[in-house]
Amino acid sequence: MRTIEDCKLYVITGEQYHPGRPLAEVMEAAIAGGADIVQLRDKNGTPAERFAKAKFLRALTRRHGALFIVNDDTELALAADADGVHLGQDDLPLEEARRRVGRGMLIGISTHEIAQALEAERAGADYVGVGPVYPTATKPGRKAVTTSYVSEAAAMLRIPFFAIGGIAPETAGDVLAAGARRLCAVSAVVGHPDPAAVCVSLKRSIEKWEALDAGRMNGWTTAESMETEETKKSEKIKETEETKVTEETKVTEETKVTEETEESEVTKVTEESLVTEECMKTAAVVSPVAATADGMRIPLLLNGKRAWSEASTLGALATALGLAERRVMAELNGEAVPREDWNTVQIRADDRVEFVQFVGGG
Amino acid sequence: MNAPSSKLAIGGIALRSRLFLGTGRYPSPAVMREALEASGAQVVTFAVRRVDLDDAGDDPLLRHTEGRDLVYLPNTSGASTADEAVRIARLAREAGLGNWVKVEISGHPRLLLPDPVETLKATERLAREGFTVLPYTSDDPMQALRLEEAGAAAVMPGGSPIGTGLGILNPYSLGWIAEQAGVPVIVDAGLGSAADAATAMELGADGILVNTPVAKARDPVAMAAAMRLGVEAGWLSRQAGRIPRRAYASASSDEAGAWFARPPATGGIRP
């Protein structure tokens, strides 16, 4: 089973955001798009309805290898064999919840300021929610904490934290730039006609930033060597974003985990959503830790692993990898590239590069 | 040592040997090289795999084969769809070692038998793109005909599942394929010994492909030589025209001039 550390994208149910669409369909799409954790948040259902949903989501997440968290209700979490329970500041104290669910179950806590997060960490929380980063319709009374709290959390917390509240493909860049490496979304995903595409987009943004975090090794590195989860908060980031506009979507704003019941009227904000397609984002990073700064670093998928390249052509990348003199073949985004074109073929962000060779076979 | 007239030609190349040799699973590259020598094979097969970027050693295999007059037959193992097989074939062609490709599309992880539908699609597409396509197929005579129609330069039916060494499980079907095919038939997969090689050739195959039975034999180099001889023996035997199988014995010497009494027709039982 995956651990909480492996989880990057957290999606919470919000059935008020998809009237007329079954919960099953929406959450399955979210998981297909890359949601690592699904939380059941249902303040209005009867116990029987909530139990049925929990059983269903438990089966769905198990099938796809995602984690399943129940909001607020330790009894339901236990009954449904969930992976964890999530609590707000006014819910059951963490110690009492731990006593009920035991050590084997994850406990997450909503936090709105760094003191709460540090306390949750001290008390044994497995993760915290940090937010709401932006104003949300789900928590109308709650003041947005802005990205400054995200930066504080990134600097001070040892346990994983998920930025939440107004998280959408449009805002993910700023939240990640502030130091978050895990995101939690509700309406942006479940209120969208194509939840899977939104998840893909969010996941891709996260992975891009993870690639930028990675230390340098001959101008490239793989996800393997990224284990040192060291977020560089001192970087100056310049981003250019080129968004692809799909249809107008109704984006209603965002959930913060747990707490108070009253759902207010959902405000409908019309937005251009950026979803699917190669939305290219290149970030020029000036890093104080890098010996030679300023190099363009291009995040890519190299032989199936996340990596980044300072080389901007396929030929230069091959040279950096020590493959220039070898009889290897190269593929860019599924298309074989003749050797004579290597030096002229440009690599762009998010390209899929494969270097292959002949090996023994029958 | 076939007569020149009996050379096997595929994709416009007249081959000096009817034995195709795989290059996988040998104890060492040196043993592979010696086995290749002993087999007399001209066509050698390879797989295409990702370079290990964390351990970029030198070229594992080509160093041991380059500089010889060989025909390279990369396979598409690892593909489970036509699209994947086409991608592998196009990559392999970029190695600059010719345009032959063995379409190998596995339909099941344990059986490793080819997926007939995807194999047909890939064969069609690659033949259109100008590849010399040798599809690995099950021993289904109809599928073999379909592949030929799709533009295969040769068909490669399996004797039994890859690596099993079970030999030829369905000689009847294989015989049919050999009889009906308008392109060369190379029996590929499942052979276990020189006897199987000879049997395949006697059934009418134009050649065989072996890898595991040589690479995993106790003495791969000796087995490579045995395979070479088995193929030649089977081929000559097929050309020579074997006697029909009969129900009853017929003595090799004439009856005339025998001077002892014959046993009764009832054999050893006295009346």
Side-chain angles (χ1 to χ4, degrees):
Chain A
M1 198 191 76
R2 71 169 80 200
T3 64
I4 188 74
E5 280 76 20
D6 301 330
C7 297
K8 310 295 178 187
L9 182 60
Y10 193 140
V11 175
I12 300 175
T13 63
E15 290 170 89
Q16 68 274 24
Y17 295 118
H18 51 87
R21 273 185 98 185
L23 179 70
E25 181 188 309
V26 172
M27 298 320 285
E28 182 134 34
I31 293 172
D36 302 307
I37 311 186
V38 167
Q39 181 190 126
L40 172 62
R41 184 167 184 273
D42 178 7
K43 299 288 190 184
N44 308 321
T46 65
E49 284 168 342
R50 296 168 69 233
F51 181 70
K53 286 174 194 172
K55 289 301 270 188
F56 167 79
L57 289 173
R58 170 70 290 182
L60 179 71
T61 49
R62 197 157 266 162
R63 242 191 343 263
H64 293 286
L67 293 183
F68 176 50
I69 307 283
V70 169
N71 180 279
D72 198 11
D73 185 340
T74 51
E75 295 310 310
L76 181 58
L78 287 165
D81 193 27
D83 297 308
V85 63
H86 188 96
L87 307 170
Q89 288 295 318
D90 306 326
D91 293 330
L92 204 60
L94 204 155
E95 288 82 356
E96 176 57 21
R98 179 64 76 197
R99 199 185 61 73
R100 294 188 192 185
V101 301
R103 302 186 58 79
M105 205 178 258
L106 299 170
I107 297 179
I109 306 287
S110 291
T111 65
H112 319 299
E113 56 184 40
I114 192 68
Q116 292 173 351
L118 290 168
E119 171 55 24
E121 180 175 279
R122 189 205 57 74
D126 296 288
Y127 73 89
V128 292
V130 163
V133 182
Y134 301 105
T136 101
T138 319
K139 297 285 168 182
R142 183 153 309 279
K143 192 171 159 296
V145 300
T146 76
T147 52
S148 60
Y149 173 29
V150 172
S151 298
E152 280 182 313
M156 298 171 75
L157 290 180
R158 288 190 305 272
I159 55 173
F161 74 91
F162 293 81
I164 178 165
I167 305 297
E170 299 83 338
T171 59
D174 291 343
V175 178
L176 292 161
R181 289 298 177 269
R182 293 178 173 87
L183 302 177
C184 179
V186 190
S187 63
V189 172
V190 304
H192 193 280
D194 192 347
V198 181
C199 286
V200 167
S201 170
L202 289 169
K203 203 71 181 275
R204 187 181 289 155
S205 301
I206 295 166
E207 283 162 351
K208 211 170 293 181
W209 280 84
E210 287 179 322
L212 291 171
D213 290 339
R216 185 183 318 206
M217 204 163 51
N218 309 326
W220 70 284
T221 183
T222 63
E224 249 71 296
S225 49
M226 291 187 193
E227 298 303 1
T228 53
E229 260 272 33
E230 208 203 319
T231 49
K232 301 187 200 127
K233 289 156 290 287
S234 47
E235 292 168 351
K236 287 192 209 128
I237 312 296
K238 243 177 44 209
E239 290 179 25
T240 53
E241 245 192 338
E242 194 191 291
T243 61
K244 180 156 187 317
V245 180
T246 59
E247 76 223 88
E248 292 192 331
T249 58
K250 290 189 203 134
V251 178
T252 49
E253 260 329 307
E254 182 50 349
T255 294
K256 203 235 11 92
V257 185
T258 117
E259 274 154 288
E260 270 323 303
T261 51
E262 284 300 310
E263 295 294 354
S264 77
E265 260 296 304
V266 169
T267 48
K268 287 179 182 163
V269 186
T270 309
E271 292 250 17
E272 295 170 344
S273 75
L274 102 157
V275 156
T276 71
E277 276 303 301
E278 298 297 303
C279 58
M280 291 301 170
K281 182 195 284 187
T282 49
V285 180
V286 182
S287 163
V289 277
T292 60
D294 285 312
M296 282 283 284
R297 301 176 188 170
I298 305 167
L300 41 87
L301 197 62
L302 178 62
N303 278 19
K305 292 177 182 167
R306 306 261 144 221
W308 54 267
S309 162
E310 293 192 337
S312 60
T313 65
L314 198 55
L317 178 61
T319 303
L321 294 171
L323 300 175
E325 303 306 311
R326 300 190 31 195
R327 195 189 279 280
V328 299
M329 297 76 90
E331 195 188 55
L332 184 64
N333 298 326
E335 293 293 327
V337 183
R339 190 124 196 176
E340 58 268 24
D341 299 342
W342 282 13
N343 287 328
T344 51
V345 168
Q346 296 287 318
I347 300 174
R348 287 184 297 265
D350 285 344
D351 276 350
R352 289 174 291 118
V353 179
E354 295 280 349
F355 285 106
V356 303
Q357 64 187 2
F358 283 156
V359 300
Chain B
M1 312 303 114
N2 302 327
S5 61
S6 69
K7 276 214 168 150
L8 168 62
I10 295 176
I13 299 179
L15 298 168
R16 60 176 180 265
S17 167
R18 293 174 176 273
L19 176 62
F20 296 13
L21 191 66
T23 54
R25 311 181 70 188
Y26 288 84
S28 73
V31 171
M32 194 271 288
R33 200 174 54 232
E34 280 182 57
L36 179 56
E37 201 75 54
S39 73
Q42 184 180 8
V43 177
V44 284
T45 56
F46 295 94
V48 176
R49 290 290 180 269
R50 281 173 166 161
V51 175
D52 181 357
L53 296 173
D54 301 323
D55 178 26
D58 58 355
D59 282 312
L61 207 55
L62 291 181
R63 264 190 320 117
H64 296 272
T65 57
E66 272 181 320
R68 295 150 186 265
D69 175 23
L70 297 174
V71 176
Y72 291 83
L73 178 58
N75 67 34
T76 66
S77 69
S80 55
T81 65
D83 284 352
E84 289 166 359
V86 168
R87 271 174 67 185
I88 294 170
R90 288 173 180 165
L91 272 170
R93 182 155 65 173
E94 293 305 333
L97 297 170
N99 65 346
W100 285 38
V101 63
K102 168 180 163 179
V103 170
E104 180 178 349
I105 303 179
S106 182
H108 190 284
R110 286 189 60 215
L111 213 50
L112 298 182
L113 284 176
D115 179 320
V117 177
E118 296 297 315
T119 300
L120 188 59
K121 280 189 211 161
T123 300
E124 217 157 28
R125 285 168 60 184
L126 291 169
R128 257 207 314 275
E129 288 184 25
F131 284 86
T132 296
V133 189
L134 291 80
Y136 161 58
T137 169
S138 57
D139 55 10
D140 176 350
M142 278 314 305
Q143 174 74 351
L145 288 174
R146 287 290 184 205
L147 291 167
E148 190 180 324
E149 279 173 13
V155 291
M156 307 214 286
S160 50
I162 293 174
T164 58
L166 291 171
I168 293 167
L169 294 180
N170 196 336
Y172 179 85
S173 286
L174 225 45
W176 249 108
I177 292 171
E179 191 175 318
Q180 291 299 309
V183 293
V185 173
I186 311 299
V187 173
D188 171 13
L191 304 182
S193 70
D196 295 331
T199 302
M201 298 308 287
E202 286 192 329
L203 285 167
D206 299 284
I208 66 157
L209 193 163
V210 284
N211 188 160
T212 307
V214 173
K216 291 292 182 189
R218 197 179 59 241
D219 182 345
V221 180
M223 185 57 84
M227 287 289 179
R228 173 170 55 84
L229 295 168
V231 168
E232 278 172 25
W235 165 255
L236 286 171
S237 170
R238 169 81 180 184
Q239 300 310 299
R242 57 151 303 141
I243 58 164
R245 290 180 168 81
R246 294 163 48 155
Y248 301 107
S250 57
S252 350
S253 310
D254 203 330
E255 298 274 337
W259 64 93
F260 298 111
R262 302 178 56 198
T266 52
I269 302 166
R270 295 281 170 207

